[in-house]
Structure formats: structure tokens, C-alpha cells
């Protein structure tokens, strides 16, 4: 009933649609681990290329953390999850009950934290 009440207002429906679009845009940490790793790599490579190009052209570096020579991908993912994802998806979960997404988020956070604790900077641990 409370969801139906929220959805009766056109303003609320617009707000919910905007939130859905934003969540979808930044939802990588809520995907299954292998997809999360793959897309974290693709996104990081995009940012590395941007940083490389800014340096090449002598421009100010917008995201200095994404220097391919010094970046820790696990740290970048942990920060992204801490600062942007957790609160947003906790709120969305309270509204829509998303246990699978929240479990993926927890698993992925633990994965990145485990790599960081081992002082690894890459997407995956080295082969054994």
C-alpha cells in the first residue's frame, strides 16, 4: 500500500524513474562478481586512457588517482562503493527489496577489500 501511495503522485513517479536511471548507470558493484570485475577493468581502462591523454596534451589531470602506473583498482572500487553505492542502494533496497543485488554488492566489496588487504592493485589475484 505504501508503494502504491508513493506512485500515485506524478512527481514521485518522476523521482523514482530518475533514481532508477542513476542506479542503473552506476550499478556495476551490484552485478555478479565476474561481470563486476570485467566492467571495473573496462571502466578503469577508460579512465587510464583519459589520464594518459591529458598528460600527453599537457592538460590538467582530472582524475589523478587513475594513473595507470600508480592506481590501485581495488582501492578505487572500495572508495566508489563506500562513497556512492552503499547508501544509494540501501535506500533503493528499502523501497524495492533487492536481496540479490545487495548480496552481490556485499560479495564484491569483500572481493575488492581482500585484494586491497593483500596489497594487490590489479583486478584479479595472480595465478597460483
Amino acid at each position: 500500500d505504501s508503494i502504491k501511495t508513493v506512485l500515485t503522485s506524478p512527481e514521485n513517479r518522476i523521482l523514482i524513474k530518475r533514481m532508477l536511471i542513476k542506479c542503473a548507470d552506476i550499478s556495476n558493484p551490484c552485478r555478479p562478481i565476474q561481470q563486476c570485475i570485467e566492467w571495473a577493468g573496462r571502466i578503469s581502462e577508460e579512465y587510464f586512457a583519459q589520464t594518459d591523454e591529458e598528460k600527453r596534451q599537457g592538460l590538467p589531470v582530472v582524475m589523478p588517482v587513475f594513473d595507470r602506473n600508480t592506481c590501485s583498482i581495488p582501492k578505487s572500487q572500495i572508495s566508489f562503493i563506500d562513497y556512492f553505492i552503499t547508501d544509494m542502494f540501501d535506500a533503493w533496497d528499502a523501497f524495492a527489496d533487492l536481496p540479490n543485488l545487495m548480496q552481490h554488492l556485499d560479495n564484491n566489496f569483500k572481493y575488492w577489500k581482500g585484494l586491497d588487504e593483500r596489497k594487490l592493485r590489479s583486478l584479479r589475484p595472480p595465478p597460483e
Side-chain angles (χ1 to χ4, degrees):
D1 280 342
S2 63
I3 291 177
K4 286 181 184 178
T5 302
V6 169
L7 295 175
T8 59
S9 160
E11 295 83 16
N12 286 348
R13 285 196 305 273
I14 290 170
L15 179 63
I16 290 167
K17 289 174 186 178
R18 287 181 177 163
M19 188 173 174
L20 267 172
I21 290 168
K22 186 62 177 172
C23 285
D25 183 42
I26 63 171
S27 67
N28 188 53
C30 297
R31 293 179 178 176
I33 188 68
Q34 291 307 318
Q35 291 174 340
C36 177
I37 294 168
E38 175 68 26
W39 280 98
R42 291 178 185 205
I43 293 163
S44 295
E45 184 54 42
E46 180 181 328
Y47 291 159
F48 292 154
Q50 177 181 330
T51 299
D52 292 346
E53 185 65 15
E54 290 165 347
K55 287 180 176 182
R56 190 184 70 71
Q57 292 188 25
L59 298 170
V61 175
V62 175
M63 295 183 292
V65 72
F66 281 98
D67 181 315
R68 71 175 68 248
N69 299 312
T70 58
C71 181
S72 166
I73 294 174
K75 280 188 189 311
S76 72
Q77 292 300 300
I78 291 165
S79 295
F80 182 65
I81 291 168
D82 279 342
Y83 292 110
F84 297 105
I85 301 299
T86 301
D87 289 345
M88 184 180 295
F89 277 88
D90 280 345
W92 194 238
D93 181 49
F95 178 75
D97 190 28
L98 306 165
N100 292 339
L101 289 180
M102 299 309 288
Q103 186 61 58
H104 290 313
L105 177 57
D106 185 56
N107 294 345
N108 293 332
F109 184 82
K110 288 175 182 172
Y111 174 80
W112 298 119
K113 199 77 168 159
L115 292 180
D116 185 50
E117 287 168 356
R118 293 173 59 190
K119 308 280 191 251
L120 298 172
R121 295 181 10 208
S122 60
L123 289 168
R124 294 178 179 85
E128 294 184 20

